[in-house]
Amino acid sequence: MSINCMRAVLEAAAKSQPEKPAVVLNDQQLTYAQLFTRVNQVAFYLDELGLPKGSRIGIYSKKCIDQVVAILAVMSTKHILVPMTQFLKTEQVEYIINDCDIKCVLTDQKHLGAIEQSNFAGKVVCYETTRSEIASFEEIYKYYNKPYNSDINGHDNALITYSFGLTGTPKGIVISHRNLIDSARVVSQYLDLQQDDVISGLLIFNLDYGLNQIFCSLYKRATLALHSFILPDDFFNHLINDKVTVLPLMPFNISQMFEGGNQRLPSPELFDSLRIITSSGGNVSAGMIRDCKKQFSQAKFYSMHGLTEAFRSTYLDPSQVEIRPDSIGKAIPDVELYVINENGKECAVREVGELIHRGGYIYRGYWNAPEETAMRFKSVEILSDAVDLEGNLTDETVVATGDYVYKDEEGYFYFVSRHDDMIKTRGFRVSPYEIESVVAKNIPQIKQCAVFGMDNEQIEEEVVMVYSADKEITKKEILFELKKHLASYMLPSKVVFKRSLPLVQSDNNRINKDQLKREMSQGL
């Protein structure tokens, strides 16, 4: 088996730290030895299904210890993991199932109905015992006790995560086992993670930032403390009771924990053991940093910038977060970053151009989407006017990120905008096209519809929908219908009625969203 896979890391951790808590959730916990045993039991069962090598296996469930077992079990086989957030609606899950031809889904009792409603024809395994025809983890743990041997190559595909591409439909990004081990190694290095750390498992395990919580815990033989943010009081209790030392967040989480005023915040001394806070998935405001510094005075704050097509590009050193809070920092180890203008030349200081990522942590490409892959994954030759490539092999791949940035005199990068019109809200990437398509299909009274994002410091951007119809439809009616088809974070926070929508002069088939944004910002 390759050393470049998380399975090898799990085996080594179970051997060296068998009695240490690996994952905890409230009063439940598994040691590394117990985690390894359960992962082997589920992996053995998955192999017995007889699926072809490389079959896609989905996970659609709540956050729990069994979910961590499921993730590591799939990654111990020669199959490919497809994690799906529990916030997705049935038709969105069905889209992903069909797009990558999922053969088996691991789920919980709460989400079992949604899988069955999607007309899924593959194998379903539930964490809890439900019906006799559906296998359960409870039964697997009871009856599957044979030794399990894993044989994984580091270059094999490990998982497919779904985000949103330029066309607006969800696109799966293919990630190898080697990618995952590299990402755990580099994060552990620049954060200086330790074996006695307790890493908060707050983020959902559907994208690489959230999954990296699991992988860094394994890599350092640390403890992963699971938590689902519902109320700020519960969140603070999680930090105190679990003795959390490393806290990965998204900017939206920071807004959640501090909303409502300071009068109910626990004493800062209760969090003296918290030594690291990380934030990715959106821009962090100076106010968010101040709040964190005040409440978690002993913690170093790392602001980071990641990509869909590569694990991470930059981080801002904690010593700089109050000096230049708007910066996304500098390149992480083993990465080179360039800012290129439309002529392929390297931009001057403070000149805006496209960010090009060269070096480590680049993923495989988009699943079954060669056009989207070709748009983002480029030959290193696109840097030929910026760097000396003499003697280099031109089949090296770099990522043309679609992010427009500039670099200051000291080499710090600053994010300006995205090439496409994707909306970043509450840590999620939302496609206006998908929302507009749902409106067109399900609310026939609406003649035209435009969806876009507008700045909101609390959640990065809020989703705004402007529509035209013969007569105004109440926001309540519109949201009632959209809730049937869209995840909660995709629902518009503002719904505006207009008799007609402005069109782009050069293309009367396109709504002029820039004009609508200007009107909205001016209160028109």
Side-chain angles (χ1 to χ4, degrees):
M1 181 175 63
S2 171
I3 62 171
N4 290 313
C5 62
M6 295 313 303
R7 168 69 191 197
V9 173
L10 175 60
E11 286 190 7
K15 184 178 294 185
S16 65
Q17 300 289 333
E19 302 305 316
K20 182 176 182 180
V23 55
V24 301
L25 175 61
N26 300 324
D27 58 350
Q28 307 171 54
Q29 77 167 35
L30 290 181
T31 65
Y32 271 102
Q34 292 169 331
L35 175 63
F36 185 56
T37 297
R38 291 196 176 186
V39 166
N40 284 345
Q41 290 172 306
V42 176
F44 193 101
Y45 176 82
L46 293 176
D47 274 0
E48 283 208 333
L49 295 178
L51 302 175
K53 177 185 176 181
S55 294
R56 275 69 64 198
I57 297 181
I59 295 179
Y60 178 55
S61 74
K62 65 184 178 183
K63 183 184 294 181
C64 60
I65 290 179
D66 279 335
Q67 187 187 40
V68 176
V69 172
I71 289 168
L72 296 174
V74 177
M75 291 176 56
S76 295
T77 70
K78 291 191 175 182
H79 302 310
I80 301 172
L81 169 66
V82 185
M84 297 177 284
T85 170
Q86 63 174 321
F87 301 115
L88 296 178
K89 300 297 184 181
T90 301
E91 61 193 72
Q92 295 172 311
V93 172
E94 186 174 5
Y95 171 87
I96 295 175
I97 287 173
N98 293 332
D99 187 65
C100 66
D101 191 21
I102 288 176
K103 298 297 186 183
C104 174
V105 173
L106 310 181
T107 189
D108 56 31
Q109 189 169 8
K110 179 180 178 182
H111 296 88
L112 180 61
I115 295 298
E116 294 176 330
Q117 290 173 27
S118 69
N119 299 314
F120 177 58
K123 186 71 175 179
V124 177
V125 183
C126 189
Y127 301 157
E128 304 89 354
T129 300
T130 53
R131 302 193 299 272
S132 58
E133 68 272 19
I134 297 178
S136 72
F137 277 29
E138 291 176 351
E139 295 166 317
I140 292 169
Y141 296 153
K142 186 175 181 179
Y143 296 112
Y144 278 76
N145 295 302
K146 298 178 183 179
Y148 180 76
N149 294 314
S150 179
D151 184 19
I152 296 171
N153 291 315
H155 61 267
D156 284 344
N157 295 330
L159 63 95
I160 302 173
T161 62
Y162 272 80
S163 186
F164 293 95
L166 298 181
T167 62
T169 54
K171 298 298 177 188
I173 194 75
V174 182
I175 304 174
S176 72
H177 287 279
R178 176 62 188 263
N179 286 142
L180 300 177
I181 205 82
D182 284 346
S183 62
R185 181 166 53 238
V186 72
V187 170
S188 298
Q189 185 265 330
Y190 74 72
L191 294 183
D192 190 27
L193 300 182
Q194 304 295 323
Q195 186 171 295
D196 59 357
D197 275 323
V198 177
I199 300 175
S200 172
L202 169 69
L203 305 180
I204 55 177
F205 302 140
N206 69 313
L207 295 175
D208 52 4
Y209 181 34
L211 288 165
N212 189 251
Q213 300 166 88
I214 300 175
F215 305 147
C216 282
S217 296
L218 290 177
Y219 190 80
K220 296 303 295 186
R221 280 67 159 169
T223 298
L224 177 69
L226 301 181
H227 180 72
S228 296
F229 199 131
I230 299 175
L231 296 172
D233 288 347
D234 292 336
F235 167 73
F236 288 123
N237 287 335
H238 156 62
L239 298 184
I240 297 167
N241 296 337
D242 290 324
K243 299 180 174 60
V244 170
T245 62
V246 181
L247 177 59
L249 296 169
M250 289 185 172
F252 175 62
N253 302 131
I254 302 175
S255 297
Q256 281 183 303
M257 75 172 81
F258 293 116
E259 65 186 8
N262 293 331
Q263 66 275 7
R264 59 174 179 75
L265 295 176
S267 172
E269 289 77 17
L270 294 171
F271 306 104
D272 281 351
S273 62
L274 182 63
R275 66 186 195 89
I276 294 171
I277 298 173
T278 69
S279 178
S280 187
N283 294 333
V284 180
S285 69
M288 292 177 184
I289 294 171
R290 284 195 301 271
D291 286 338
C292 286
K293 286 284 187 180
K294 183 178 179 181
Q295 188 65 32
F296 311 114
S297 59
Q298 303 302 311
K300 295 180 179 179
F301 191 103
Y302 290 80
S303 178
M304 306 181 300
H305 183 72
L307 305 175
T308 299
E309 300 83 6
F311 171 66
R312 191 158 295 154
S313 287
T314 69
Y315 78 93
L316 184 63
D317 189 270
S319 64
Q320 299 295 315
V321 293
E322 292 179 283
I323 298 172
R324 51 186 100 239
D326 296 333
S327 173
I328 59 174
K330 294 184 177 182
I332 68 172
D334 296 330
V335 168
E336 296 175 11
L337 298 176
Y338 299 90
V339 185
I340 303 299
N341 63 25
E342 59 185 10
N343 298 317
K345 304 290 186 183
E346 189 166 16
C347 292
V349 169
R350 297 194 178 273
E351 178 187 357
V352 175
E354 185 176 11
L355 182 69
I356 308 297
H357 176 118
R358 182 189 188 194
Y361 324 113
I362 294 175
Y363 295 149
R364 292 290 182 83
Y366 288 101
W367 176 262
N368 200 26
E371 292 183 3
E372 286 80 1
T373 298
M375 187 177 296
R376 287 283 174 254
F377 296 84
K378 305 285 189 180
S379 165
V380 72
E381 288 184 293
I382 68 169
L383 293 174
S384 59
D385 286 338
V387 296
D388 181 6
L389 296 177
E390 183 178 359
N392 287 337
L393 299 175
T394 56
D395 62 350
E396 178 189 346
T397 298
V398 300
V399 175
T401 67
D403 289 341
Y404 281 79
V405 304
Y406 68 85
K407 188 164 60 173
D408 70 13
E409 292 81 358
E410 297 178 69
Y412 288 91
F413 291 90
Y414 295 78
F415 179 81
V416 176
S417 66
R418 288 180 294 278
H419 177 70
D420 50 56
D421 64 348
M422 295 298 100
I423 302 169
K424 272 279 194 73
T425 182
R426 304 174 191 273
F428 292 94
R429 204 162 165 78
V430 173
S431 165
Y433 175 84
E434 186 176 27
I435 301 173
E436 292 164 355
S437 297
V438 168
V439 170
K441 183 178 179 181
N442 297 285
I443 312 179
Q445 309 96 296
I446 292 179
K447 295 180 177 179
Q448 293 177 303
C449 174
V451 175
F452 48 87
M454 295 196 68
D455 290 344
N456 182 318
E457 185 174 287
Q458 299 300 310
I459 56 174
E460 180 107 23
E461 291 181 293
E462 60 183 330
V463 181
V464 177
M465 171 183 158
V466 183
Y467 72 96
S468 66
D470 290 333
K471 61 179 181 179
E472 186 171 2
I473 308 167
T474 66
K475 177 181 178 181
K476 185 177 181 180
E477 288 178 274
I478 292 173
L479 292 182
F480 178 82
E481 186 61 37
L482 295 184
K483 285 178 181 177
K484 299 177 184 177
H485 310 281
L486 297 172
S488 58
Y489 61 84
M490 302 176 74
L491 298 175
S493 57
K494 288 184 179 179
V495 178
V496 178
F497 167 71
K498 287 183 176 290
R499 291 290 179 186
S500 62
L501 303 186
L503 302 177
V504 176
Q505 287 187 349
S506 59
D507 184 356
N508 286 332
N509 292 315
R510 289 173 54 209
I511 297 169
N512 192 330
K513 292 186 179 181
D514 288 339
Q515 181 176 332
L516 288 173
K517 288 182 183 181
R518 288 194 296 271
E519 293 175 358
M520 291 290 295
S521 63
Q522 296 167 5
L524 300 178

